[in-house]
Amino acid sequence: MSSAGIDEARLARVIRSQYAKWFADPDHSPEVTLIMRNDNICIWYARVAGLEKPLAGEYLMRLVIPKEFPFKPPSFSLLTPNGLFTPGGPV
């Protein structure tokens, strides 16, 4: 068991369930693409596009899910420079 009381197998099931739920939802935004890393299901990448000005463009973000998930939220970092956030820094 991890420190939050959730074992790694259960954590993997929760994460995979959340990932599958995203793709099963017919109302999810077509401007957001999610990709889970094959070698680490706790790291996802998101491509966000179709934003209105002044944020128009495409942005790549990294989402890191902590071992304490769902009791602790994921962290996000922006990988695309945009003038608002430092690439690699938290969002």
Side-chain angles (χ1 to χ4, degrees):
M1 292 275 207
S2 72
S3 61
I6 185 170
D7 65 35
E8 289 185 23
R10 181 165 182 255
L11 175 63
R13 283 192 306 273
V14 168
I15 291 171
R16 286 190 179 103
S17 171
Q18 294 293 317
Y19 192 73
K21 189 183 293 188
W22 165 261
F23 288 102
D25 181 359
D27 295 325
H28 80 266
S29 173
E31 290 87 12
V32 177
T33 304
L34 291 178
I35 300 170
M36 183 190 308
R37 278 188 41 178
N38 290 331
D39 64 337
N40 186 343
I41 66 168
C42 290
I43 299 176
W44 298 9
Y45 292 93
R47 184 185 66 78
V48 179
L51 300 175
E52 298 292 323
K53 289 185 177 184
L55 300 175
E58 292 185 359
Y59 299 95
L60 183 62
M61 297 175 57
R62 180 177 42 239
L63 179 141
V64 178
I65 301 169
K67 298 222 181 268
E68 299 84 10
F69 183 82
F71 307 109
K72 183 177 176 187
S75 63
F76 294 85
S77 57
L78 189 65
L79 303 176
T80 305
N82 70 354
L84 296 175
F85 299 100
T86 303
V91 174

